[in-house]
Amino acid sequence: MWRSSIGKKIIMAGTGLIWIGYLLVHMYGNLKVFAGEEAFNHYAESLRTLGEPMVGHGHALILARIVLILSLAAHVWAAMALTRAAQQARPMGYAKFHQASGNYATITMRWGGLALGLFILYHLAHLTWNVPVLTGEYEPGNTFDKLVVGFTNPVNVVLYLLALVAVGLHLWHGGASFFQTLGWRTAANRQPIRFLTGALAIAIPVGFAVVPLAVATGLVA
Amino acid sequence: MKLHLRVWRQSSVEDRGRFEDYELDDVSPDSSFLEMLDLLNEQLLEQRKMPVAFDHDCREGICGMCGLMIDGMAHGPVPGHTVCQLHMRHFKDGDHIVIEPWRVAAFPVIQDLVVDRGSFDRILQRGGFISFATGTAPEANSILIPKDRVDTAMDAATCIGCGACAAACPNGSATLFTAAKIGHLGHLPQGQPERYRRVIGMVEQMDAEGFGGCTNVGACTSVCPKEIGQDFISQMNRDYLRAVLGRTGD
Amino acid sequence: MSEHGHLWQEGPELDGQVPLGAIENQWDDLRFSMKLVAPANRRHYHVVVVGSGLAGASVATALGEQGYRVSCFCFQDSPRRAHSVAAQGGINAAKNYRNDGDSIRRLFYDTVKGGDYRSRESNIYRLAQISTEIIDQCVAQGVPFAREYGGYLDNRSFGGVQVSRTFYARGQTGQQLLLGAYQSLTRQIAAGQVEMHVRSEMLDLIVVDGIARGIVVRNLLTGELRAVLGDAVVLATGGYSNVFFLSTNAKGCNATAIWRAYRRGAVFANPCYTQIHPTCIPPSGSHQSKLTLMSESLRNDGRIWVPRRPGDTRSPDAVPEPDRYYFLEEKYPSFGNLVPRDVASRNAKQVVDEGMGVGLHKNGVYLDFSEAMERLGRATIEQRYGNLFDMYHSITGEDPYAVPMRIYPAVHYTMGGLWVDYQLQSNIPGLFILGEANFSDHGANRLGASALMQGLADGYFIAPYTIGNYLAGIDQAAVTADAPEVTGAIADVRNRLSALLGIQGRRTALSLHRELGQIMWEQCGMARTAESLSTAQTQLQALREEFWNELYVPGDAGSLNQNLEFAGRVADLIELGELLVLDALHREESCGGHFREESQTADGEARRNDAEFSYVAGWTWQGEGAAPMLRREPLAFEAVRLSERSYS
């Protein structure tokens, strides 16, 4: 199955869904910022203690990371294979070409995806690997503080917001594609799916964006 | 009207090809695009040059033989039409028009604007039919088909196999063509026994021919002369998924 | 007849080999008496099929399914593109689903009468018998015929008959039937039973010891010429409407296969029977390359008129009612605008010839829906004819809801073709002719929705039996590729191609084809006279000379050369045109699509001459420059009584 073009798309849909789920959980956690420093740090810590005592300390987080990394790898692999197939399918381009359909989201899927990949590395460097240039001076062990200090750096904020735009575009096309690829889209549910994916593509970036904006405007300090 | 044409010329499969520029006077706005090319060819013959080779036959939009990229648009600027049904009144006096063949690896250029679409035939050979022998058919009205189902099947069956979908697709994908035949037969009771076998075979051949994958851009439907919809692609994907998961009990 | 005696030689009668016995049992009896080839032996026989339309694809499929080895050839890039694809209206079958009195006998009767008593009764009876099986076959293939809400097949009435027996798939019945046949053919190709050769053109027939043994084929991409040998040859290559240049046929439609077979001895029957369709879109200028047909159903609600005064250039809405000449309604008060195709066509020609034509080129008549729109409302008209109105709008740039449509007749179908006996075999043993390429079933005029029926009947249900019967009876030495008849035929083709390339004159094949069309349409079109036909003879002879002295074809024969292909087809059409004119000249009567002005009733109706012309005219090639031989097949009407039609 994975050898066929449709199989690869199914892989992209499945792994994409995992990442959408992750983004929703992540966004929920981020919004805890508004509940105050203590609640937020408590939440951050609970991620490590999740599932205890049945699961060892931090193991759930590791497991989640493994799933996410594998999903991302499969997503990227399938995308690259499809991109290569597309290039081979048209070795010689048109002298003049008019894109007959599709919006900005559609035509930016590949570059947008690559940009998001780079952002993830940057994001990890900032908040997981705690590269000092990015984090700035913060109180070690205080995740809330790391977040607030980080977002007082305008470079971080701008990159973060740009990445969110890319996330929105990626979700807009990817969300609709998810239903199409799995064959769930029909003439009857075309509008609801459009609405749902549109809502998702707006809600997720907005949900993430309020945090840095709140920090930048001093609402959260 | 007067036109400036930039036409792809390529003498054979091996030739690298190039664009050539031509000027054409006295084109009637009532003539079709292909009649305009007829005029160009008569002019070239008068100059004792090789005329531009292009495929065409019925010239009423149903045989699927013609197909050109006109200013980067498959079958030209008017939606729902083939090139033979595109009339010059949609262009302006003095226009510059770029004319190219379909550019898809699975449609090699044979000469000038003529391409080889044998790959489409080979996709259908992997299951784009109902297996039964002449003479065994039951009485026609013993197979009842709800009107809306047969109408949907007909929507898909109108495909003329022109190749515009693959030509306009940024991925060079034949997904709409393949999905249309799967959709046509898949919506009819007669097509059910081979439904899942068909989708596996045809998708496999579509990939083997070197067409790209679908990324749900929708350009195919936009240029399709019969305006075949994206829903058939969704249906094909579902059938494919069911087939590979072995969930074919329906 | 005698004054034309120098134009042809008289030859022996033709025998249609119709089985004896009651017409109802002839086909069954014959099938039972046929010899059979055992299933295991079938793969030892090779059948060559030329053409992949309804008749060609269906016979290749059916023979492949039976186990014969089949090679099928078409000039297009895929068998799916054959011109059967363009038929709009539907396909007749005597299913009597509407319980409105239809029966095999009624379809038979309608077809004999529609053909103006110039066809072979037995063939038509068989066609009507088989018609019902065709629908079953096509439904099983997945042809999405229109259905009622209850899930049952829908029917409509078509072409002026009084029962609803026409099955249809939107306005694309031909396309859907062809795709059904193509799908079945595809299955045989995948199974290895049928070898499909696209972009291949038959340029000659190979006849050895009087028996058809193969064809010479040119690969249109490489120019390669080769002989394809077989145990039987089937030509299903369609009609010759393009002899008129402007017709509703596809540009590629040509008569080369049947014409080359004619020159190898096959009898050509009734070439003068050509059908004109009254509701086509008139040419819009000298660039016009083909004409587009619109469904005749438009005449149900549209009113046909021209301005009463010749040369009236007022726009249609400025012409007041008294100045409008509703010529069909005035001349045929009981049938009005619904008179048969040929009557409507001839009357349109008459008013245009008298200077009353409308449009920029004064070459059409109005088909006006304004009264119908007032009576029924625009919505009803949209629902009934919306797609036709859109098509008209797209082609002409005029909105038919706002201004009346302009229509004019165009050549649409040719009833004549190679002569075949009851088993669809030509006078050359081993050569079978199917579909529009043969002459068999439509007499002098074809009923609407019957062409698809005939093509599929021939291909699925007649030829597969009769070819098997032929193969079971043959006992002949194998022909090898070095036989003189084979190498000779290839050499002939090669010389002919060289000749076409060698002229290097000043005229293009297209301009010569246009000229051919003009001569045919003006002198031998909807109405013919002895005088116009003699003129045509002189003009065609001159055109043939002009062609062979002044043609210019660029390039060579060793690669794709569309101009070379085209020039060869035009050369054959010119010769066929000459035979058509001769046939029209010899048939001094009016019947069906053949109207001789000398033979009409007082009110302008076609007048048949059953005493002298109740026969099939079969023409045989006698060599370059020699007058052809005329062989007659007498027609007897036993099941249907001869009668004259009247529409006034």
Side-chain angles (χ1 to χ4, degrees), chain A residues 43-117:
Chain A
Y43 158 76
E45 182 52 29
S46 72
L47 288 178
R48 298 181 190 284
T49 58
L50 190 71
E52 281 185 32
M54 199 175 94
V55 185
H57 184 75
H59 288 186
L61 198 58
I62 290 168
L63 189 70
R65 279 172 177 167
I66 289 171
V67 169
L68 286 173
I69 288 168
L70 287 180
S71 294
L72 186 65
H75 198 82
V76 169
W77 168 79
M80 282 170 61
L82 286 168
T83 305
R84 201 162 45 240
Q87 284 162 349
Q88 283 165 354
R90 179 163 298 131
M92 182 170 186
Y94 292 102
K96 198 166 175 185
F97 187 67
H98 170 83
Q99 179 85 33
S101 173
N103 47 38
Y104 192 69
T106 313
I107 55 175
T108 54
M109 279 309 270
R110 283 174 190 146
W111 288 109
L114 182 67
L116 280 177

Side-chain angles (χ1 to χ4, degrees), chain B residues 17 28 31 35 38-39 43 67 95 97 103 109 142 173 215 218 230 232 245:
Chain B
S28 161
S31 64
E35 285 166 348
D38 287 343
L39 191 66
Q43 179 178 308
D95 267 359
I97 305 174
R103 293 211 183 279
V109 175
S142 66
S173 172
T215 53
Q230 296 285 296
F232 293 110
L245 295 179

Side-chain angles (χ1 to χ4, degrees), chain C residues 1 8 14 20 44 47 97 134 160 190 232 284 303 308 325 332 346 404 427 475 485 491 522 524 571 574 596 618 646:
Chain C
M1 241 184 284
W8 67 82
L14 289 161
L20 300 172
H44 300 305
V47 182
Y97 280 164
I134 296 171
S284 62
R303 296 182 71 192
R308 215 171 266 282
Y325 180 25
Y332 309 95
R346 268 198 308 279
N427 58 307
D475 176 23
E485 291 87 348
E522 270 157 34
C524 188
I574 293 175
R596 284 287 297 263
S646 169

Side-chain angles (χ1 to χ4, degrees), chain B residues 52-123:
Chain B
V52 178
F54 62 93
D55 268 333
H56 64 98
D57 199 18
C58 78
R59 297 205 178 186
E60 49 187 86
I62 194 75
C63 75
M65 191 91 174
C66 67
L68 302 171
M69 210 67 175
I70 298 167
D71 281 339
M73 291 171 277
H75 288 305
V78 184
H81 282 68
T82 53
V83 176
C84 63
Q85 294 292 78
L86 170 68
H87 284 77
M88 296 312 293
R89 67 181 74 94
H90 297 289
F91 296 85
K92 292 190 302 291
D93 186 33
D95 267 359
H96 290 252
I97 305 174
V98 181
I99 307 170
E100 295 175 79
W102 292 162
R103 293 211 183 279
V104 184
F107 296 160
V109 175
I110 293 168
Q111 191 183 94
D112 298 340
L113 305 172
V114 176
V115 299
D116 178 358
R117 285 168 292 200
S119 47
F120 270 12
D121 284 331
R122 290 189 292 273
I123 290 175

Side-chain angles (χ1 to χ4, degrees), chain C residues 167-492:
Chain C
F167 295 77
Y168 65 100
R170 291 195 192 147
Q172 290 131 280
T173 317
Q175 181 202 26
Q176 293 310 311
L177 293 177
L178 183 69
L179 291 181
Y182 162 72
Q183 284 166 204
S184 293
L185 176 65
T186 292
R187 176 167 165 258
Q188 291 308 306
I189 295 169
Q193 284 298 129
V194 176
E195 210 175 277
M196 186 71 216
H197 302 269
V198 301
R199 295 199 194 264
S200 299
E201 184 169 26
M202 165 183 163
L203 292 179
D204 211 345
L205 178 73
I206 296 170
V207 180
V208 182
D209 298 332
I211 297 173
R213 300 303 297 271
I215 60 172
V216 178
V217 174
R218 180 166 181 265
N219 178 324
L220 298 180
L221 298 184
T222 63
E224 180 212 8
L225 285 179
R226 67 182 179 110
V228 179
L229 302 173
D231 300 293
V233 176
V234 181
L235 303 186
T237 54
Y240 49 88
S241 294
N242 278 345
V243 71
F244 292 90
F245 181 67
L246 287 182
S247 80
T248 65
N249 277 19
K251 293 304 291 171
C253 289
N254 68 84
T256 288
I258 55 172
W259 192 251
R260 294 286 122 194
Y262 167 73
R263 290 180 58 122
R264 291 282 174 194
V267 170
F268 204 122
N270 300 334
C272 78
Y273 293 158
T274 53
Q275 188 173 64
I276 313 275
H277 199 285
T279 49
C280 301
I281 302 175
S284 62
S286 58
H287 56 263
Q288 194 81 29
S289 61
K290 77 152 288 179
L291 296 171
T292 304
L293 178 152
M294 295 183 294
S295 167
E296 231 177 333
S297 62
L298 287 170
R299 287 199 282 146
N300 290 341
D301 287 312
R303 296 182 71 192
I304 294 173
W305 65 276
V306 287
R308 215 171 266 282
R309 182 167 54 80
D312 191 336
T313 51
R314 285 177 292 181
S315 75
D317 56 315
V319 181
E321 208 54 32
D323 291 356
R324 296 179 176 196
Y325 180 25
Y326 294 93
F327 52 94
L328 292 178
E329 295 174 19
E330 283 184 28
K331 284 164 98 169
Y332 309 95
S334 55
F335 275 75
N337 295 299
L338 292 173
V339 292
R341 289 178 176 183
D342 54 325
V343 179
S345 300
R346 268 198 308 279
N347 279 284
K349 176 181 159 58
Q350 198 185 343
V351 294
V352 168
D353 286 350
E354 286 167 10
M356 291 178 265
V358 299
L360 184 63
H361 305 283
K362 309 201 111 350
N363 59 355
V365 299
Y366 287 127
L367 179 62
D368 196 337
F369 287 84
S370 51
E371 190 263 343
M373 269 194 287
E374 244 167 63
R375 181 163 42 91
L376 303 162
R378 181 181 161 132
T380 309
I381 294 299
E382 248 176 60
Q383 187 216 328
R384 284 188 192 167
Y385 310 111
N387 55 346
L388 293 168
F389 276 42
D390 290 348
M391 179 170 85
Y392 180 87
H393 192 169
S394 145
I395 291 173
T396 62
E398 293 172 4
D399 177 8
Y401 293 105
V403 287
M405 279 186 175
R406 291 173 294 110
I407 56 165
Y408 200 60
V411 180
H412 175 50
Y413 188 89
T414 52
M415 283 72 68
L418 291 186
W419 182 87
V420 288
D421 64 15
Y422 186 73
Q423 299 202 32
L424 303 182
Q425 184 169 226
S426 83
N427 58 307
I428 300 177
L431 179 65
F432 293 80
I433 319 293
L434 273 54
E436 191 180 352
N438 73 24
F439 89 106
S440 74
D441 293 350
H442 305 298
N445 193 25
R446 181 181 62 79
L447 282 188
S450 281
L452 302 178
M453 172 173 69
Q454 185 223 338
L456 291 178
D458 288 1
Y460 284 130
F461 298 113
I462 303 173
Y465 293 94
T466 62
I467 291 172
N469 180 41
Y470 168 77
L471 293 174
I474 55 175
D475 176 23
Q476 54 202 16
V479 177
T480 53
D482 57 359
E485 291 87 348
V486 178
T487 53
I490 295 180
D492 287 352

Side-chain angles (χ1 to χ4, degrees), chain B residues 28 30-32 35 38 42 45-46 48-60 62-65 81 85 87 89-90 110-111 114-118 120-121 124-126 128-141 143-147 150-155 157-162 177 181 184-185 188 190 226, chain C residues 61-62 65 75-81 83 85-86 88 95 97 135-137 139-142 144-145 147-153 169-170 172 175-176 179 182-184 186-187 189-190 199 221 248-253 284 287-292 391 393-397 460-461 504-506 508 510-511 552 554-555 560-563:
Chain B
S28 161
D30 284 327
S31 64
S32 72
E35 285 166 348
D38 287 343
E42 288 293 283
L45 284 169
E46 205 159 285
R48 299 190 101 68
K49 291 180 183 154
M50 275 307 275
V52 178
F54 62 93
D55 268 333
H56 64 98
D57 199 18
C58 78
R59 297 205 178 186
E60 49 187 86
I62 194 75
C63 75
M65 191 91 174
H81 282 68
Q85 294 292 78
H87 284 77
R89 67 181 74 94
H90 297 289
I110 293 168
Q111 191 183 94
V114 176
V115 299
D116 178 358
R117 285 168 292 200
F120 270 12
D121 284 331
L124 295 182
Q125 281 164 23
R126 291 293 305 280
F129 46 75
I130 289 166
S131 298
F132 84 104
T134 302
T136 55
E139 152 61 35
N141 258 345
I143 304 168
L144 298 184
I145 312 175
K147 186 175 170 13
V150 88
D151 285 348
T152 308
M154 182 67 197
D155 288 342
T158 55
C159 169
I160 58 174
C162 63
F177 169 80
K181 187 47 67 190
H184 161 207
L185 299 175
L188 297 173
Q190 304 94 299
K226 301 297 158 188
Chain C
T61 299
E65 286 168 355
F75 71 81
Q76 296 93 340
D77 74 334
S78 165
R80 68 181 295 153
R81 311 212 192 277
H83 192 56
V85 82
Q88 298 169 7
K95 284 279 196 188
Y97 280 164
I135 303 303
D136 301 343
Q137 164 88 358
V139 167
Q141 281 172 337
F145 284 123
R147 295 199 174 241
E148 310 262 20
Y149 280 103
Y152 292 92
L153 287 156
R170 291 195 192 147
Q172 290 131 280
Q175 181 202 26
Q176 293 310 311
L179 291 181
Y182 162 72
Q183 284 166 204
S184 293
T186 292
R187 176 167 165 258
I189 295 169
R199 295 199 194 264
L221 298 184
T248 65
N249 277 19
K251 293 304 291 171
C253 289
S284 62
H287 56 263
Q288 194 81 29
S289 61
K290 77 152 288 179
L291 296 171
T292 304
M391 179 170 85
H393 192 169
S394 145
I395 291 173
T396 62
Y460 284 130
F461 298 113
Q504 293 291 311
R506 311 281 334 158
T508 64
L510 181 63
S511 75
Y552 172 61
L560 176 62
N561 187 341
Q562 292 181 329
N563 239 259

